[in-house]
Amino acid sequence: MKQFKVSMAGYTITAVVHRLNRDLVVLLYGGDLPHVGSVLCYDKASEEKTEVNYYSHDGRYHKDIIIARVFFEKIKHTLPGNLNLTAGVHIDGISQEQIKAAPVMTEKLAEQVTDWLKKEAGNFKDPQYTSHFK
């Protein structure tokens, strides 16, 4: 598990990355009330991407998929395997400056994760399958 943080405009977004061999589980959260607002999953083999947006307290969808997409687009070419990403950033009384900062902060986090993944590349293992099961 590795943790990355970027702060701007009076708040912080954190990326907690669990590397499960080649696969990644990423928690992208921050602000006054971290939560699970959106989920983005990516299957490296099929290149299929699935997105889920949860309803917010007022009946609208959470908008956290925006930062999930920013993060994914920045790291997808470095991904060694599959990705499961949850995103949830909430700031009470959010300002326009804080809204504009979110994708910038997310890109910086993705750059940090990409650099880390490049260093981890030699630590992946290939699975060994038992040949007697047919």
Side-chain angles (χ1 to χ4, degrees), residues 39-74:
V39 178
L40 186 151
C41 299
Y42 176 71
D43 180 322
K44 179 131 176 121
S46 68
E47 297 185 352
E48 182 179 343
K49 180 176 70 165
T50 305
E51 297 179 355
V52 176
N53 295 306
Y54 295 106
Y55 282 106
S56 68
H57 61 88
D58 62 1
R60 295 180 296 173
Y61 284 107
H62 284 280
K63 296 181 179 121
D64 305 291
I65 199 65
I66 295 167
I67 61 171
R69 289 174 184 151
V70 168
F71 188 90
F72 169 71
E73 290 300 323
K74 196 79 173 171

Side-chain angles (χ1 to χ4, degrees), residues 5 9 14 17 28 51 54 59 72 74 82 99 102 106 132 134:
K5 293 184 179 203
T14 301
V17 182
L28 191 60
E51 297 179 355
Y54 295 106
F72 169 71
K74 196 79 173 171
N82 302 319
I99 291 170
T106 303
H132 68 276
K134 298 195 184 217

Side-chain angles (χ1 to χ4, degrees), residues 4-16:
F4 306 88
K5 293 184 179 203
V6 172
S7 298
M8 285 177 63
Y11 72 104
T12 300
I13 299 178
T14 301
V16 175

